[in-house]
Amino acid sequence: MGDCIFCKIISGDIPCVNIYENSQVLAFADINPIDTGHVLIIPKAHYENIWEIPPAELAAVAQASKIVAAAIQAALTPDGVAVLQLNGRGVNQVVMHYHMHLIPRSAGSQALSMTAWELVPGDMDQIERTAQKIAAAIAAQ
């Protein structure tokens, strides 16, 4: 994709701070970090989102995330690592190239809205109906 910033990083047209790379993925430091050590992991092939990325490429990103998360733990000793992946503009995906965020978090870090929500019991009938719809869609695949 000619206008994709991540594709330009992969091609070397835009520099990055490389952290990990193999034949399928590239992991690099986020230049707009939420916290120190924020890393992005991307497939080298262009896929916009979870619906487009093939299973093998998705697995490669997940496997790289385990390697990078272990390195983050060893190097920075955070209390935890947020693993965040957004799909579509409706959830604020800004770069339309599949990517996973690894964000080290420590006690006292500002809360991430995705990791700090109030537990409110849901309507079990609605939960069951929705789950049945999703399960039916899986069975129909």
Side-chain angles (χ1 to χ4, degrees):
M1 291 282 154
D3 59 342
C4 174
I5 191 168
F6 288 172
C7 289
K8 290 177 181 179
I9 289 171
I10 292 162
S11 70
D13 293 335
I14 296 176
C16 74
V17 179
N18 186 324
I19 291 175
Y20 173 80
E21 184 173 6
N22 65 29
S23 63
Q24 292 177 289
V25 303
L26 174 64
F28 55 95
D30 193 314
I31 62 169
N32 298 301
I34 291 173
D35 216 335
T36 301
H38 183 165
V39 176
L40 298 174
I41 303 173
I42 64 174
K44 288 186 174 179
H46 182 87
Y47 306 103
E48 187 171 302
N49 52 44
I50 191 96
W51 298 288
E52 289 185 4
I53 190 168
E57 299 291 328
L58 182 62
V61 171
Q63 289 167 348
S65 74
K66 182 155 178 68
I67 292 166
V68 174
I72 288 170
Q73 181 65 32
L76 305 177
T77 61
D79 295 326
V81 174
V83 178
L84 179 62
Q85 200 282 308
L86 306 171
N87 296 280
R89 297 200 190 282
V91 292
N92 203 31
Q93 181 183 1
V94 176
V95 178
M96 305 312 280
H97 183 121
Y98 184 91
H99 59 287
M100 180 179 289
H101 297 260
L102 297 182
I103 308 164
R105 306 298 289 164
S106 296
S109 294
Q110 182 178 355
L112 297 174
S113 60
M114 287 297 296
T115 63
W117 64 82
E118 183 180 348
L119 297 179
V120 178
D123 176 332
M124 286 309 296
D125 290 334
Q126 180 182 16
I127 291 168
E128 288 178 14
R129 284 191 307 273
T130 302
Q132 289 169 356
K133 285 182 184 178
I134 296 168
I138 291 170
Q141 290 180 358

